Amino acid sequence: MAGRRAHDPRTAKVIQLYSTPGSDPVAEAAARRQSGKRRHPSQAGHPNTDGFGRQPAEVTPISDEVQLPDEALGVEHVGPAKPSPLLSLDGVRTQIADALTGTASYLRERLAGEYDVDDFGFDPHFTDSVWFPAIRPVYDKWFRVEVTGVENLPVEGGALLVANHAGAIPIDAIMTSMAVHDNHPTGRHLRILAADMAFDSPVVGELARRIGATLACNSDAEHLLRAGELTAVWPEGYKGIGKMYKDRYKLQRFGRGGFVTTAIRTGAPIIPVSIVGSEEIYPMIGDLKPVAKLLGLPYFPVTPLFPWLGPLGAIPLPSKWHIHFGKPIATDGYEESAADDPLVVFDLTDHVREEIQQTLFRMLSRRGSVYLG
């Protein structure tokens, strides 16, 4: 990220965020999570993770550079584990009915003009009434997403969520957005900082903006954080979602630490986010670079099913997901000038990256079946 702020948020150089308070909000959240989602209280153990419900399995870290800590773990899950049978149809019809009801309500309010759109094109009415109901079945029934660490998200005010990236296409960004909204006590929205390619297509770009995404540039990122928004970035960028299956859960380089510069300048806390399950939806075993270059893509994935089975092979595999929000890393103690100090930026960048990497390995060591968990 450049040291000075860009003057034009639409043409600014893409920063190196990527590689190249009477109601009871907690009671309301509990009602939204009747399907079995729950928040898990922190226990003793690693400062950024808890026990994940089962004893550690015998695992070999994918990277020899990072070792699993040998320490006692707290027990995070209390009572029986949440069942998550693959392709369970329980509640699917209810979700479809809710989606249709929400769409009808959306159309009525839309015609009456009872909605707002912010300066970046974010449409909360569309997001809550159409988008989330549409993707919730995938979130609940296909990926069966489990969420922990929600207590680490601020009830109000800005924060920068930093997550690992994987999956050939950025489905993890969509699932993380859903996880924040459906599990946060006040149902907050997550504003996603996306690469410029997401806005090149008129259809995809328009949808991305309507559901809260914006260009990962200096001015947009700072504007959102100063406005008190929960903002998310995936610093691995294309190197993360386009890495081979053999390199799964091994974090790639976090660019030049642009996200740290933004956090320091705005005083926003950094929340490490660790996602397990995204690496297995498209096990990438090859990259057809000539085809990618011809299509203007950063890579063209080859998986055990794609392109051999055509469109059918493009359906993501139903891996079991776990998204963990780690403890916030404060940045308000830094002077603003620290944002221009490479040593401070690189040190904090490495700290955030290491937190996510260690958390991933601990989560993987307590993981059950990849697809039947």
Side-chain angles (χ1 to χ4, degrees), residues 84-306:
S84 55
L86 181 62
L87 299 179
S88 169
L89 298 180
D90 180 38
V92 170
R93 279 180 288 187
T94 299
Q95 290 181 328
I96 294 176
D98 289 343
L100 293 176
T101 301
T103 301
S105 174
Y106 165 79
L107 293 176
R108 286 195 302 270
E109 295 176 20
R110 208 70 178 182
L111 292 174
E114 300 174 354
Y115 64 94
D116 295 311
V117 177
D118 72 7
D119 294 339
F120 295 101
F122 175 46
D123 187 341
H125 185 219
F126 171 83
T127 303
D128 293 344
S129 301
V130 178
W131 176 247
F132 281 155
I135 67 171
R136 191 168 282 113
V138 176
Y139 174 92
D140 282 335
K141 302 303 180 181
W142 191 253
F143 294 135
R144 294 147 290 143
V145 183
E146 180 178 7
V147 179
T148 56
V150 179
E151 66 275 8
N152 292 318
L153 298 177
V155 174
E156 58 182 16
L160 183 61
L161 281 64
V162 181
N164 58 297
H165 214 11
I169 59 177
I171 295 180
D172 48 10
I174 298 174
M175 295 298 107
T176 303
S177 179
M178 183 94 256
V180 170
H181 181 269
D182 277 13
N183 291 275
H184 192 276
T186 60
R188 297 190 66 176
H189 292 100
L190 184 65
R191 307 301 298 272
I192 297 169
L193 296 171
D196 52 354
M197 184 176 291
F199 305 101
D200 288 343
S201 169
V203 176
V204 175
E206 176 64 22
L207 176 61
R209 289 201 177 275
R210 293 183 73 179
I211 63 176
T214 191
L215 185 66
C217 67
N218 190 3
S219 57
D220 283 17
E222 290 191 18
H223 182 97
L224 289 171
L225 290 172
R226 294 187 190 280
E229 299 281 1
L230 284 181
T231 308
V233 64
W234 284 259
E236 291 177 278
Y238 296 128
K239 297 195 305 293
I241 58 177
K243 63 177 174 285
M244 296 297 176
Y245 186 64
K246 64 183 178 64
D247 295 321
R248 60 196 181 280
Y249 300 112
K250 180 179 180 181
L251 295 185
Q252 304 299 297
R253 184 173 177 269
F254 272 19
R256 299 178 181 177
F259 69 91
V260 167
T261 301
T262 300
I264 292 177
R265 285 180 175 159
T266 59
I270 296 174
I271 300 179
V273 182
S274 304
I275 307 172
V276 165
S278 56
E279 295 275 14
E280 292 85 12
I281 61 174
Y282 291 114
M284 189 166 164
I285 58 176
D287 178 11
L288 298 180
K289 296 186 182 298
V291 178
K293 185 176 181 180
L294 181 64
L295 298 177
L297 301 174
Y299 54 85
F300 189 87
V302 175
T303 76
L305 302 179
F306 181 82

Side-chain angles (χ1 to χ4, degrees), residues 307-319:
W308 326 116
L309 299 184
L312 185 63
I315 299 176
L317 296 176
S319 57

Side-chain angles (χ1 to χ4, degrees), residues 39-53 71-79 148-149 151-152 324-325 327 362 366:
R39 289 170 56 186
H40 302 283
S42 298
Q43 303 290 333
H46 187 271
N48 195 35
T49 58
D50 312 314
F52 292 98
E71 60 182 9
L73 299 172
V75 178
E76 185 177 37
H77 293 281
V78 178
T148 56
E151 66 275 8
N152 292 318
H324 179 73
F325 300 103
K327 293 186 179 299
R362 289 170 62 84
R366 287 151 185 80

